[in-house]
Amino acid sequence: MPLQPGELDALVDVEGLLVGHDQRLDEHWATGATAVIAPGGATAAVDVRGGGPGTRETDVLEPSHLVQRVNGVVLAGGSAYGLAAADGAMRWLGERGHGVPVGGPGQVVPVVPAAVIFDVPMNDWGNRPDADFGYRACDNATRTETRQGNVGAGTGAVVGPVKGGVGTASAVLPDGTTVAALVVVNAAGSAIDPDTGLPWTSTPGLRAPDSREVEAARPRYEGRPGRNGPVERPLNTTLGVVATDLKLSKSECRRLAVAGHDALARAVRPAHLLVDGDTVFGLATGTGHALPEPGEPGWAGRLDQLSAVAADVVERAIVRGMLAAEPVGEVTCYTRLYPSARE
């Protein structure tokens, strides 16, 4: 039986997390930043599968390293330049006393891992997220943020022949545990089966497009669109945050991140290319109960169940991000390419 989504069917259903976006979208800009803030801290891990990642502060997430909890995660456009958005998030968190204490009152160093997508062809050269984008994304963070599509880090995202964007989803296990994801869908591969016009992953309620639309769309799969037409280098990299309210170790959080990549490989084909920087963060806020200790009866089965649900919500978030996106410049969107497939 399918699990029920959380109250908002979004990452913010995980108690202890806030989500905020900041973006700029006009004739010269199509980029932004997304902040996932954990005011009380969250255990975290990461799994990087793409061949061209743009990341920051991921080494600190190794289980053997000193810091055990992060204060947030920043996802941004702008390629490696966009990592500057994390500076703004650090400033915002530091002003509020969130971070690792390193001295007297208020003297903290916020821990904010970050990752970026390559959306440069969607902007005039030099237009990319900076520290102010990250600061404003944090300032905008709430417990009720559910927007999808052309927001935050997904503003300039493209997946296959159509516009990508931010997608989010959640699920509640029978014992009340919440598992949720937020994904920035921006891949060199496609989330659509060109032979059917449907997402690769099952999408209940989505009607198959008309065969004439499928045939008319086929030429678009031969090249990647940029804002002003095809680009030689594909826009690439899918980013994700998958989280739960359980109390998990770093190693257990990494299993969530691994499961997120399983979902990516199901929903985007091909995935994890050399030109992709596919990166998934796993977070546990610890506001719920704990798993059995490793080696105790039920531990492996419970962690496997959690990972399976994590993959499901990431997969659903990927499709939702694509379906929610709207055209930008010359880049069309799914609902324009296949108008008869509307839910």
Side-chain angles (χ1 to χ4, degrees):
M1 179 181 296
L3 295 173
Q4 291 297 313
E7 180 180 0
L8 298 176
D9 201 7
L11 184 65
V12 290
D13 285 326
V14 174
E15 186 178 353
L17 294 182
L18 312 175
V19 171
H21 304 291
D22 185 66
Q23 61 279 324
R24 184 168 177 181
L25 179 57
D26 56 36
E27 64 271 24
H28 303 291
W29 292 75
T31 192
T34 295
V36 178
I37 301 300
T43 307
V46 68
D47 190 21
V48 180
R49 298 286 179 93
T55 58
R56 165 173 165 164
E57 290 275 51
T58 51
D59 280 355
V60 75
L61 304 181
E62 286 292 325
S64 62
H65 290 184
L66 174 65
V67 174
Q68 296 300 304
R69 294 172 72 81
V70 303
N71 304 104
V73 173
V74 169
L75 312 177
S79 190
Y81 291 105
L83 291 170
D87 291 339
M90 286 188 68
R91 177 161 54 91
W92 189 92
L93 288 160
E95 289 173 356
R96 290 154 181 79
H98 301 303
V100 179
V102 293
Q107 296 179 344
V108 297
V109 177
V111 181
V112 188
V116 292
I117 68 169
F118 183 81
D119 61 359
V120 173
M122 297 294 284
N123 302 268
D124 289 355
W125 179 253
N127 291 347
R128 76 269 301 204
D130 58 13
D132 289 340
F133 276 77
Y135 191 95
R136 290 191 297 263
C138 292
D139 223 21
N140 294 335
T142 69
R143 282 295 317 276
T144 58
E145 179 57 79
T146 61
R147 287 179 295 163
Q148 301 182 95
N150 298 3
V151 297
T155 303
V158 177
V159 54
V162 300
K163 186 69 179 63
V166 168
T168 189
S170 70
V172 180
L173 278 63
D175 66 356
T177 296
T178 299
V179 182
L182 182 146
V183 180
V184 182
V185 189
N186 182 72
S190 175
I192 305 167
D193 180 350
D195 292 331
T196 65
L198 288 169
W200 290 111
T201 182
S202 174
T203 309
L206 186 64
R207 184 176 57 198
D210 184 275
S211 60
R212 290 170 296 181
E213 295 171 359
V214 173
E215 289 306 312
R218 284 188 186 279
R220 290 182 175 267
Y221 291 86
E222 298 173 4
R224 287 296 305 274
R227 183 165 188 143
N228 299 306
V231 294
E232 291 184 5
R233 182 177 180 183
L235 295 95
N236 51 49
T237 297
T238 295
L239 308 176
V241 176
V242 56
T244 181
D245 52 6
L246 285 175
K247 297 175 183 176
L248 300 180
S249 67
K250 279 186 172 183
S251 295
E252 290 165 340
C253 281
R254 189 169 187 276
R255 299 307 304 173
L256 297 185
V258 168
H261 280 291
D262 293 340
L264 173 57
R266 296 199 299 249
V268 176
R269 304 181 189 182
H272 307 138
L273 301 176
L274 278 177
V275 294
D276 286 314
D278 300 332
T279 301
V280 179
F281 296 93
L283 300 180
T285 61
T287 56
H289 56 273
L291 292 181
E293 290 295 321
E296 289 185 353
W299 171 73
R302 188 76 170 91
L303 189 55
D304 282 345
Q305 177 197 34
L306 193 67
S307 298
V309 175
D312 288 345
V313 294
V314 170
E315 191 173 6
R316 192 154 56 88
I318 289 172
V319 176
R320 295 181 83 191
M322 178 180 69
L323 295 182
E326 298 178 353
V328 172
E330 296 299 315
V331 182
T332 191
C333 67
Y334 182 85
T335 53
R336 296 278 183 89
L337 192 60
Y338 302 105
S340 68
R342 292 180 183 272
E343 292 178 280

